């Protein structure tokens, strides 16, 4: 019996959350999981470089090369199945997944979102836009959430959250960095271990 869950991380951009997962795993912080694969929908994603440096296999389903979302999803699903992936982590993956996809990995997909859900989430709230909306509303506290992914965008059960202060004079970029450093990079690797352990206990 395998004693680790094979994990795939899906990214579209810089991959700092991927890096936090790789670093934590390297330091022994995700003993129930093995980072087996990095998948991207952007051939230019710096996340690919991070994966290669860590010696993790990569797969590219580029939005420009495969503009049809259904075809891209089918390709990704087949790839995940071929690699015997048990947990999918969305770490800055900028495509909303269809119900067909989320059902194929029910309770086996988690996502990090850069706000305290249910604030500033759902369709249209991604990346910097989330922090722009938080500043426009004038909230004094924001944060990050890791949640299970189902067919409702940002609507699955919450696993971990962490609050972060908004400071006078924050720009969206400055706030984004603080939320990443103080919240996302901590709770995403922690949630990865929690969910891998839950999946192992179910075996
Ligand atoms: C992160 O802030 C992540 O929470 C956000 O995109 C950024 C990716 O950064 N994800 C979403 O907004 C999803 N709705 P990274 O590529 O450096 O990890």
């Amino acid at each position: 019996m395998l004693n680790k869950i094979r994990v795939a991380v899906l990214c579209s951009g810089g991959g700092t959350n991927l890096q936090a997962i790789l670093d934590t795993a390297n330091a022994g912080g995700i003993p129930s999981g093995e980072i087996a694969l990095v998948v991207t929908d952007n051939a230019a994603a710096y996340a690919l470089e991070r994966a290669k440096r860590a010696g993790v296999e990569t797969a590219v389903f580029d939005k420009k090369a495969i503009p049809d979302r259904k075809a891209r999803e089918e390709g990704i699903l087949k790839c995940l199945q071929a690699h015997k992936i048990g947990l999918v982590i969305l770490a800055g993956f900028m495509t909303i997944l269809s119900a067909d996809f989320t059902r194929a990995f029910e309770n086996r997909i988690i996502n990090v979102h850069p706000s305290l859900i249910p604030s500033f989430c759902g369709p249209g709230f991604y990346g910097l836009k989330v922090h722009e909306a938080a500043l426009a509303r004038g909230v004094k506290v924001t944060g990050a959430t890791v949640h299970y992914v189902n067919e409702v965008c940002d609507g699955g059960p919450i696993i971990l959250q962490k609050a972060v202060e908004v400071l006078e004079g924050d720009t969206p970029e400055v706030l984004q960095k603080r939320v990443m450093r103080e919240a996302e990079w901590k709770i995403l690797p922690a949630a990865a271990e929690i969910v891998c352990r839950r999946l192992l206990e179910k075996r």
Side-chain angles (χ1 to χ4, degrees):
M1 190 175 86
L2 292 174
N3 60 356
K4 281 183 195 285
I5 300 294
R6 287 174 61 78
V7 176
V9 185
L10 273 55
C11 314
S12 300
T16 65
N17 278 288
L18 165 67
Q19 193 65 57
I21 292 167
L22 292 170
D23 292 347
T24 305
N26 219 11
I30 312 182
S32 308
E34 173 195 352
I35 314 306
L37 180 67
V38 169
V39 177
T40 184
D41 57 2
N42 171 14
Y46 187 67
L48 282 171
E49 198 53 46
R50 297 180 189 275
K52 281 172 193 155
R53 236 190 285 142
V56 176
E57 235 186 282
T58 59
V60 180
F61 295 86
D62 187 66
K63 273 187 180 171
K64 287 184 198 130
I66 316 168
D68 182 57
R69 190 185 76 162
K70 199 167 184 302
R72 249 185 359 261
E73 277 196 350
E74 280 169 9
I76 294 174
L77 261 186
K78 277 199 186 116
C79 178
L80 296 175
Q81 281 152 357
H83 282 82
K84 301 196 181 331
I85 296 300
L87 173 67
V88 176
I89 300 180
L90 308 183
F93 189 65
M94 298 306 181
T95 302
I96 295 175
L97 297 170
S98 72
D100 283 344
F101 192 105
T102 58
R103 266 190 235 113
F105 273 84
E106 207 177 352
N107 294 321
R108 288 178 179 273
I109 310 177
I110 66 173
N111 176 51
V112 64
H113 182 77
S115 75
L116 293 174
I117 288 175
S119 290
F120 312 117
C121 65
F125 287 101
Y126 58 89
L128 219 46
K129 289 182 193 291
V130 178
H131 305 291
E132 285 165 1
L135 289 176
R137 185 61 185 85
V139 295
K140 303 301 176 200
V141 173
T142 184
T145 303
V146 180
H147 62 93
Y148 283 102
V149 174
N150 60 19
E151 67 286 355
V152 181
C153 178
D154 295 330
I158 289 169
I159 303 162
L160 289 175
Q161 287 188 305
K162 193 164 191 299
V164 174
E165 243 187 305
V166 179
L167 300 179
E168 198 67 38
D170 271 352
T171 63
E173 289 80 5
V174 167
L175 184 57
Q176 180 182 50
K177 274 276 141 58
R178 188 179 313 116
V179 169
M180 284 177 158
R181 196 176 54 241
E182 294 184 9
E184 295 184 47
W185 299 343
K186 294 179 179 169
I187 64 172
L188 185 57
E193 172 57 19
I194 289 170
V195 175
C196 283
R197 209 172 45 229
R198 280 181 193 164
L199 290 170
L200 281 181
E201 280 162 7
K202 277 205 269 171
R203 275 187 179 169

